[in-house]
Amino acid sequence: MIIVKLGGSVFSDKKGEAENFRENVVRSIAREIGEFYPGEDFIVVHGGGSFGHPYAEEYGIRKGLMGLSGDALLWRKKGFSLTHHAMLRASMRVVEAFMEEGLPAVSVSSSSVFLMDSDRVAYGDVEPVRKLIEAGFIPVLFGDVAVDLARGVDILSGDQIVTYLTKLFRPRKVVFLMNVDGIYDGKPGEGTLLFEISSREIDDLIGRLKRFSDSAGTDVTGGIINKLREAKEIARFSEVWFVNGLVPGRLGGAIRGDGFGTRVVG
């Protein structure tokens, strides 16, 4: 099995107009998966891109529901619903692109599968995902809003979903598709590209990236620190790759093992 994390910055321009979608990029990725399917089982997890993120930020979903009442509570609940439906639209676009390339992708609503507790996945009912795979489908999950046992609601990232699924399904590889060539020791796309790192080196790398961001006065790491934290956990069970999803052939190379990007080993 291969788990593919399709980053929101790959299928969408986060700085562009709301809900823009790079159909040609997603169809190219689907074609690469088609080179290995059905010999390999696949799970695809995609991020929010320009779909869910604007609503999540506007309505402060990460702040949860605790302490709210009246109009303020209803306002945040509205944002929860708007964010979820935006992600459903993103998932529909991804699934449609895969189907156009002849792949039997099917969307699985993450908020109906997972419960969170204090910013972490507490439980996931993945049996429907397992049965879809056994039936020959390609399940497509996505970063989403979710019920949080401590805070009422929260944001469930696609990276967290990948980690949870990896622990249960034990794929032979997990491939993160990004809009840069891999993991850099410095600002993404500008520092030194790391072709291979061990999970034992990740904490030191995170420390360097934090210092780099602090000295720059802003987070210039593009959220890569959180991805590295998840990758450290994933690497206990699977080989991990970070590759550029905007460049045709990079996903296939990672699956074969001769790819261009960053390989994380346990």
Side-chain angles (χ1 to χ4, degrees), residues 2-239:
I2 309 292
I3 296 180
V4 177
K5 167 62 196 308
L6 174 56
S9 59
V10 174
F11 71 80
S12 178
D13 180 359
K14 293 182 179 180
K15 297 180 180 179
E17 63 182 30
E19 303 193 10
N20 69 83
F21 185 75
R22 295 172 175 143
E23 181 178 355
N24 61 324
V25 171
V26 179
R27 291 186 65 166
S28 175
I29 290 167
R31 287 193 294 272
E32 288 189 57
I33 290 176
E35 295 174 9
F36 301 91
Y37 172 88
E40 279 287 359
D41 293 329
F42 283 87
I43 299 175
V44 175
V45 181
H46 67 78
S50 63
F51 287 77
H53 286 299
Y55 291 111
E57 292 180 7
E58 178 182 355
Y59 287 87
I61 303 302
R62 280 209 176 274
K63 298 177 182 178
L65 300 178
M66 300 299 100
L68 297 179
S69 61
D71 290 345
L73 178 60
L74 289 174
W75 186 76
R76 187 151 296 157
K77 287 180 176 179
K78 175 185 176 182
F80 182 92
S81 181
L82 288 172
T83 304
H84 174 61
H85 282 273
M87 289 309 303
L88 289 176
R89 291 192 293 273
S91 190
M92 179 183 70
R93 297 294 301 273
V94 171
V95 167
E96 287 177 345
F98 272 57
M99 292 176 67
E100 287 294 323
E101 295 300 328
L103 295 180
V106 59
S107 180
V108 178
S109 177
S110 302
S111 64
S112 299
V113 171
F114 299 100
L115 287 174
M116 300 183 72
D117 191 355
S118 302
D119 194 39
R120 299 301 301 173
V121 178
Y123 172 76
D125 181 7
V126 300
E127 193 59 23
V129 176
R130 190 187 309 277
K131 293 302 182 184
L132 283 169
I133 294 168
E134 290 176 359
F137 289 96
I138 299 176
V140 177
L141 296 90
F142 48 89
D144 200 358
V145 288
V147 172
D148 187 288
L149 301 177
R151 302 161 66 176
V153 299
D154 203 347
I155 298 296
L156 170 62
S157 76
D159 297 338
Q160 289 175 308
I161 293 172
V162 170
T163 301
Y164 192 89
L165 294 176
T166 297
K167 292 178 180 179
L168 292 180
F169 289 103
R170 306 294 175 95
R172 70 181 185 91
K173 290 188 181 181
V174 174
V175 184
F176 287 83
L177 300 180
M178 314 166 68
N179 65 344
V180 292
D181 286 336
I183 302 299
Y184 291 79
D185 198 344
K187 186 175 180 179
E190 296 182 11
T192 301
L193 179 63
L194 304 174
F195 291 101
E196 183 171 299
I197 55 176
S198 73
S199 58
R200 296 181 298 277
E201 297 174 304
I202 286 180
D203 286 339
D204 287 341
L205 176 58
I206 287 174
R208 293 197 299 274
L209 292 176
K210 281 184 175 179
R211 290 192 294 273
F212 183 80
S213 292
D214 291 343
S215 66
T218 184
D219 179 13
V220 295
T221 65
I224 196 62
I225 288 175
N226 288 331
K227 292 184 183 299
L228 285 170
R229 290 192 179 113
E230 299 297 335
K232 180 182 177 181
E233 184 69 14
I234 293 168
R236 293 172 53 204
F237 309 99
S238 175
E239 184 178 299

